Amino acid sequence: MVSMYTQYSYSVEALVLFCQFRRSCSETPNEYILASVIRACTQLGGLNQALQVHCLVVKGGFVQDVYVGTSLIDFYAKHGYIDKASLLFDGLEVKTTVTWTTIIAGVLNSCGSLQALEKGRQVHAYTIKVNIDNDDFVKNGLIDMYAKCDSLTNARKVFDLMASINVVSYNAMIEGYSRQDKLYEAFDLFRKMRLSLLPPTLLTFMYHKRGIWAIKAKNGGVLPRHDPKPKPEAPAEKPPKFYPADDVKKPLINKHKPKPTKLRASITPGTVLILLAGRFKGKRVVFLKQLPSGLLLVTGPFKINGVPLRRVNQSYVIGTSTKVDVPAVNVDKFDDKYFAKEAQEKKKKGEGEFFEAEKEEKNVLPQGKKDDQKTVDSALVKAIESVPDLKAYLGARFSLKAGMKPHELVF
């Protein structure tokens, strides 16, 4: 429970629970409880409580415990007692990477507080030498040190090289910019922090408010307002001498410029695709080529699964690893105009024919398109029949069944 309270920053509750444990139980707390209580003292900044816990550590014989020792080093280093942190560090017989990281971060904090820039650079060089400069804890310490030493260029370099930027990193940079009155850079960084969906802390809002007050102080108590950019003057047009008697419809200007659709790398001529929409959804088809409009020309072929030559959008297909040899198929004549519908004039109905149902003539496919389908099918079927089980594969419809996981399927 003490560890859980400390983990979620309920430091006061953790200390109260520890005191209740000491009053009601005569057993000596183990190293895990002591380390959690020390972290609670670190969060609260309670020096007296930490000293009492340090006495319990010595009394219980946990001085050489790495977990407890690192927690004590972290407390003393973060609160400016770097000499005591160094004594504890030198006394530890076993030191882990976390222990080294903690003492280095404490030294960086002291260099920043004393504005000892040269010492801080030496520590930075040492972190690179021992290959711990990529640790987020160390990088946050470097950013804080450079920012407190008014070396914002180096602080920003370390900040930009971080693989995962956290709230502590943003707070250190915003504080550094605010201290040197680089308020617009601080606001820009605060905006980027909100766009990255990181939750701001109380320190973040404090630095943000400090920047707003500084800007107001420089501008007579109000935020500066920038004048809008002047619009370019429109060229003077001479009004027409006469106006048209009837309203003239003016077509709207279409500024949309269509961009050429890029074909997916997994789709090449002969690739077997799975249709995801339309009346043939679930059917497997063979990709022949990409038309100028960006649509894909596919066919079943019709003789195997009933899918004729048609156009589909590549957003509604799944590409598989199965290929069909299609060099013998000639598709040069097929373009977007080939599939365009013929415009038909609508017949106006008279009064007597308004309520009478007219017999609509069915659209009959031209014989030329039927012949084209047979030509493509004959070349495709020969290539398909030369591969075992490929004809049955194309004739089967794809569907998901119970227990199938789509994200684990390999097509």
Side-chain angles (χ1 to χ4, degrees), residues 237-298:
E237 294 182 1
K238 188 177 180 180
K241 191 174 182 181
F242 301 102
Y243 293 95
D246 300 326
D247 292 335
V248 179
K249 293 183 178 180
K250 186 177 180 180
L252 297 175
I253 300 174
N254 185 7
K255 296 182 179 180
H256 176 68
K257 295 180 180 179
K259 297 180 181 179
T261 306
K262 185 179 179 181
L263 187 64
R264 279 186 289 183
S266 60
I267 301 178
T268 56
T271 303
V272 176
L273 308 176
I274 299 175
L275 301 180
L276 300 177
R279 63 191 181 103
F280 297 110
K281 62 182 178 181
K283 292 289 188 76
R284 294 177 171 90
V285 295
V286 180
F287 169 66
L288 300 177
K289 73 171 184 177
Q290 187 180 26
L291 301 175
S293 63
L295 299 177
L296 310 182
L297 177 65
V298 299

Side-chain angles (χ1 to χ4, degrees), residues 56-317:
L56 288 175
V57 170
V58 176
K59 184 179 177 181
F62 298 110
V63 178
Q64 291 299 325
D65 185 81
V66 178
Y67 195 55
V68 177
T70 304
S71 300
L72 283 170
I73 292 170
D74 183 50
F75 172 81
Y76 286 122
K78 283 184 176 178
H79 293 84
Y81 302 100
I82 195 65
D83 51 345
K84 294 183 180 181
S86 300
L87 287 174
L88 285 170
F89 179 79
D90 294 336
L92 280 177
E93 296 178 357
V94 179
K95 300 178 181 68
T96 62
T97 306
V98 179
T99 312
W100 279 97
T101 303
T102 305
I103 190 65
I104 288 173
V107 173
L108 289 171
N109 186 29
S110 300
C111 293
S113 301
L114 298 173
Q115 291 193 342
L117 181 58
E118 291 302 322
K119 296 291 184 183
R121 285 176 175 170
Q122 292 176 16
V123 177
H124 190 180
Y126 181 75
T127 60
I128 297 174
K129 181 180 179 181
V130 298
N131 198 23
I132 61 171
D133 58 315
N134 290 325
D135 186 84
D136 290 343
F137 197 56
V138 174
K139 285 204 171 188
N140 288 334
L142 288 169
I143 294 171
D144 183 64
M145 183 271 296
Y146 281 124
K148 288 180 178 177
C149 294
D150 297 335
S151 180
L152 290 179
T153 304
N154 292 325
R156 190 57 191 257
K157 285 181 181 178
V158 178
F159 179 83
D160 293 335
L161 289 174
M162 291 187 69
S164 59
I165 304 175
N166 51 34
V167 180
V168 180
S169 313
Y170 275 108
N171 285 346
M173 281 304 306
I174 292 172
E175 182 189 10
Y177 281 133
S178 301
R179 186 186 294 110
Q180 291 197 10
D181 289 341
K182 294 188 176 182
L183 306 175
Y184 291 102
E185 289 85 348
F187 279 116
D188 182 63
L189 207 59
F190 180 77
R191 181 183 60 83
K192 289 181 179 179
M193 177 182 175
R194 298 305 301 269
L195 291 176
S196 63
L197 302 179
L198 282 174
T201 61
L202 292 176
L203 282 175
T204 312
F205 286 114
M206 185 182 71
Y207 300 145
H208 184 255
K209 287 289 185 184
R210 184 188 298 173
I212 292 176
W213 293 334
I215 291 176
K216 284 185 176 180
K218 289 183 176 182
N219 294 275
V222 294
L223 290 173
R225 293 187 177 181
H226 302 283
D227 296 331
K229 293 181 179 179
K231 295 182 179 180
E233 296 182 0
E237 294 182 1
K238 188 177 180 180
K241 191 174 182 181
F242 301 102
Y243 293 95
D246 300 326
D247 292 335
V248 179
K249 293 183 178 180
K250 186 177 180 180
L252 297 175
I253 300 174
N254 185 7
K255 296 182 179 180
H256 176 68
K257 295 180 180 179
K259 297 180 181 179
T261 306
K262 185 179 179 181
L263 187 64
R264 279 186 289 183
S266 60
I267 301 178
T268 56
T271 303
V272 176
L273 308 176
I274 299 175
L275 301 180
L276 300 177
R279 63 191 181 103
F280 297 110
K281 62 182 178 181
K283 292 289 188 76
R284 294 177 171 90
V285 295
V286 180
F287 169 66
L288 300 177
K289 73 171 184 177
Q290 187 180 26
L291 301 175
S293 63
L295 299 177
L296 310 182
L297 177 65
V298 299
T299 185
F302 182 79
K303 190 175 182 181
I304 292 178
N305 56 18
V307 181
L309 285 164
R310 60 189 290 107
R311 299 176 295 174
V312 295
N313 194 314
Q314 64 176 331
S315 301
Y316 302 104
V317 299

